[in-house]
Each structure stands twice: as structure tokens, then as C-alpha cells.
Amino acid sequence: ETGVTQTPRHLVMGMTNKKSLKCEQHLGHNAMYWYKQSAKKPLELMFVYSLEERVENNSVPSRFSPECPNSSHLFLHLHTLQPEDSALYLCASSRTRGQSEQFFGPGTRLTVL
Amino acid sequence: ILNVEQSPQSLHVQEGDSTNFTCSFPSSNFYALHWYRWETAKSPEALFVMTLNGDEKKKGRISATLNTKEGYSYLYIKGSQPEDSATYLCAFTGNAGGTSYGKLTFGQGTILTVHP
């Protein structure tokens, strides 16, 4: 138990669906992150939020839309995804952006049909 | 594009063996080097965050060294146990003012399997 929870753990969606991934951290951290892991690729950073402000968008397509309503919650809204978006999506948080270690959630395994 | 390379890609050892693997990263604009352990069906777990050249960190049977001038870090596991089987990830972050500040760029990982 890392103190970072993610729901759902598994999601299957069609290309025309809209769904959201949720992340919650109970650690009092100020920075939150979305990562994507595709098969046989390194973990890729998607978005960084620091003090609820998006500070990084790593050239992610607009069909992925993050939202950080407060420092404990982070969402990833998904719409009109492609089959190649099927991957493991991990959320993480850290005390500050940069040097401090990141605490990861268990991930959401997404399959786009 | 930042390049963080890990070697070997996978490693099989016998219980009791000591082992080590390598992470290489850009030596310019260095800020921190992270090591994570990722067991199957679990979350990645931080092992070390290293910031200073020459740093050596230790947690139980696992230790790591850092050379920021030449851009590499070694992770050592002494007396490997089956429960050490996992993917070991390193990640680089650059300093403030650079494009990689606050962002972790991960290597592909080294998959370690320890056979009883």
C-alpha cells in the first residue's frame, strides 16, 4: 500500500466511448503525475501537476485530458481513443516536483477495442 | 531526446548470488537519479534517490552508486533471494532551467529473476 490509489484497475472501452481514470493520494504531496506504459517501452511521462497547476504536458494527444481539482485528486479523461492507446496508466505523487521520490499507484490496465 | 539506458535487459541468477546492473544517463544538467523496484502486479516502489556525485546508498542487501561526471549508476544486490525478482528501473531528472526539470525519464528496466 503506497498511499496512492487508482480506479478502475481494469477498463475496456470502445473508440467512441468517454471514460475517466481516477487517482487519489493520501500522502499530503504537492505534485502528481500521469505515466503511460505500453508493451516493451519505458514508462513515459504524460502530465505533471504541481500545486494543482499543470506544469508539464509531454506532447500528449488532446484525446487525453487531465484534471486536478485539488492536491489529492487527479483525473485522466479519455475520449475517442485509438487501439494503440491500450496500455497501463500509472499515477504517482511526490512531496515536491523534481528531486523527491515518487509514490506510484497500482495502475489502470486500459484496453481500447 | 534524453536517453536513459539500462543493462542488461534481463538477468537470471541463482539464490545466494550477488548481482549488479547499470544505468547510464546524460551527464549534463544532472539533478537526480532514481532507482525503483517494480514487482509484477504491484506498484513501482522507490529504492533510492541520488543527487551527489560519488553518492553511495544502501537499503538492506541492495546498494547503489552514482557517477554524475560520466553518467552512470550501478545497483548491487548481495546474496539475491527469490523475493528480489522484479524489474529494476532507473530514472533521470535534470536541473532547474533545463527541459527535464521535475520530469523523470525512465530507462527500459532490468528484469531480474532469482531462481531458488
Side-chain angles (χ1 to χ4, degrees):
Chain A
E1 183 62 53
T2 62
V4 180
T5 57
Q6 286 187 246
T7 54
R9 295 293 305 275
H10 299 271
L11 179 62
V12 179
M13 60 188 286
M15 289 193 283
T16 57
N17 291 158
K18 286 186 184 181
K19 296 284 183 185
S20 296
L21 310 185
K22 179 183 174 183
C23 175
E24 186 172 355
Q25 57 99 358
H26 312 275
L27 301 166
H29 288 167
N30 290 321
M32 295 187 79
Y33 311 80
W34 279 117
Y35 288 91
K36 174 184 177 182
Q37 173 145 62
S38 307
K40 305 207 176 188
K41 283 190 172 182
L43 268 174
E44 291 174 67
L45 180 67
M46 299 174 75
F47 301 105
V48 182
Y49 276 82
S50 180
L51 297 170
E52 299 155 44
E53 183 187 339
R54 191 194 310 179
V55 295
E56 191 67 45
N57 174 347
N58 221 24
S59 304
V60 179
S62 59
R63 57 186 184 269
F64 294 91
S65 173
E67 179 192 358
C68 187
N70 56 61
S71 59
S72 299
H73 293 88
L74 186 64
F75 294 89
L76 188 62
H77 304 299
L78 316 171
H79 60 101
T80 58
L81 294 193
Q82 305 297 311
E84 60 263 29
D85 296 322
S86 298
L88 180 69
Y89 289 86
L90 284 164
C91 171
S93 71
S94 64
R95 189 170 46 83
T96 58
R97 181 167 72 103
Q99 187 175 337
S100 49
E101 65 187 285
Q102 295 189 10
F103 290 76
F104 285 83
T108 296
R109 174 69 62 187
L110 174 68
T111 303
V112 182
L113 301 176
Chain B
I1 295 175
L2 290 176
N3 231 9
V4 178
E5 307 265 354
Q6 290 188 247
S7 63
Q9 274 194 312
S10 65
L11 196 51
H12 291 256
V13 301
Q14 290 297 129
E15 183 175 353
D17 287 351
S18 293
T19 186
N20 65 84
F21 20 95
T22 307
C23 172
S24 62
F25 52 86
S27 54
S28 56
N29 298 317
F30 175 85
Y31 190 66
L33 192 281
H34 296 226
W35 280 101
Y36 290 83
R37 184 169 99 164
W38 194 358
E39 292 180 69
T40 305
K42 293 190 176 180
S43 312
E45 172 200 355
L47 288 172
F48 306 113
V49 179
M50 308 176 79
T51 55
L52 298 173
N53 185 43
D55 239 357
E56 286 190 34
K57 295 221 172 179
K58 189 171 178 186
K59 188 186 270 192
R61 293 178 292 98
I62 305 178
S63 60
T65 61
L66 179 68
N67 183 323
T68 61
K69 293 187 191 308
E70 294 179 47
Y72 65 83
S73 175
Y74 293 132
L75 189 82
Y76 300 91
I77 303 179
K78 189 176 172 184
S80 304
Q81 300 297 308
E83 57 265 29
D84 296 328
S85 298
T87 299
Y88 291 82
L89 300 170
C90 71
F92 165 89
T93 184
N95 57 24
T99 57
S100 61
Y101 177 66
K103 298 161 47 171
L104 288 184
T105 300
F106 280 85
Q108 191 110 357
T110 292
I111 303 169
L112 174 67
T113 306
V114 182
H115 299 278

